[in-house]
Amino acid sequence: MNTCGFLTERQIQVLRLRRRGLSQEEVAEILGTTRSNVSILERRAMQNIDRALATLKQWKMIQAPVAVRIPEGTDLFALPGIIFREADARGLKLPVNSIDILAKLKEIAPHLTRRRLIERSFDIYVTEDGEIYVEEIDESKAV
């Protein structure tokens, strides 16, 4: 592993060459390896990137000053008010408006709503910068 992240130097080389538009065979030739090895390096690099992104998302949710559980059956249009009340209780002025919140929810979790209703409970997190994250509640694991 390199000292700055979760990718090996070889994975970084492969990703850089692939980003330039080279095929796996062309990358293999440049690096003196097989296409199969390049494929494995690329796949593992992408898995590492996905894990790093998921970890970063979790960290941002942990730090988010606004965290609210939204129960199934909630009116979608009540959601911004719920979030703003939580922010107000914490003395925060969020850099988002009601439309931003609803649009972001539709973008990142469209399957959680149907018409104007929340179909499945979820937790919503809003950072001081206005980033919005959603975490579905697995009812089978709920205590």
Side-chain angles (χ1 to χ4, degrees):
M1 294 276 168
N2 76 46
T3 59
C4 296
F6 295 107
L7 300 176
T8 65
E9 292 301 325
R10 196 70 154 173
Q11 288 171 337
I12 292 169
Q13 287 177 315
V14 167
L15 291 177
R16 282 187 177 141
L17 292 168
R18 294 283 286 145
R19 179 77 175 129
R20 289 187 7 211
L22 277 65
S23 69
Q24 287 182 343
E25 284 198 20
E26 292 168 324
V27 172
E29 188 174 315
I30 290 169
L31 298 179
T33 188
T34 64
R35 190 216 51 83
S36 176
N37 189 45
V38 168
S39 176
I40 291 167
L41 287 165
E42 187 174 10
R43 185 178 69 248
R44 288 184 182 157
M46 296 311 296
Q47 289 170 341
N48 288 344
I49 290 167
D50 288 343
R51 280 194 294 273
L53 290 171
T55 301
L56 183 59
K57 177 184 174 187
Q58 285 296 319
W59 178 241
K60 287 183 176 189
M61 290 187 322
I62 288 167
Q63 291 187 310
V66 175
V68 183
R69 176 148 298 174
I70 306 299
E72 177 182 334
T74 300
D75 184 321
L76 180 63
F77 295 132
L79 184 62
I82 294 167
I83 291 168
F84 289 130
R85 278 191 296 283
E86 182 70 17
D88 289 345
R90 300 191 182 296
L92 295 171
K93 173 109 172 86
L94 297 174
V96 293
N97 60 39
S98 296
I99 294 171
D100 294 333
I101 292 169
L102 296 174
K104 188 65 175 179
L105 179 63
K106 281 293 193 183
E107 175 189 327
I108 62 178
H111 59 285
L112 294 177
T113 62
R114 184 177 176 149
R115 295 191 182 100
R116 283 188 52 171
L117 289 180
I118 303 299
E119 284 208 313
R120 290 199 311 243
S121 300
F122 62 89
D123 292 330
I124 191 162
Y125 303 85
V126 185
T127 68
E128 291 176 355
D129 297 333
E131 293 179 90
I132 298 171
Y133 298 95
V134 168
E135 185 172 52
E136 293 183 50
I137 297 170
D138 184 349
E139 298 296 339
S140 67
K141 295 180 182 177
V143 180

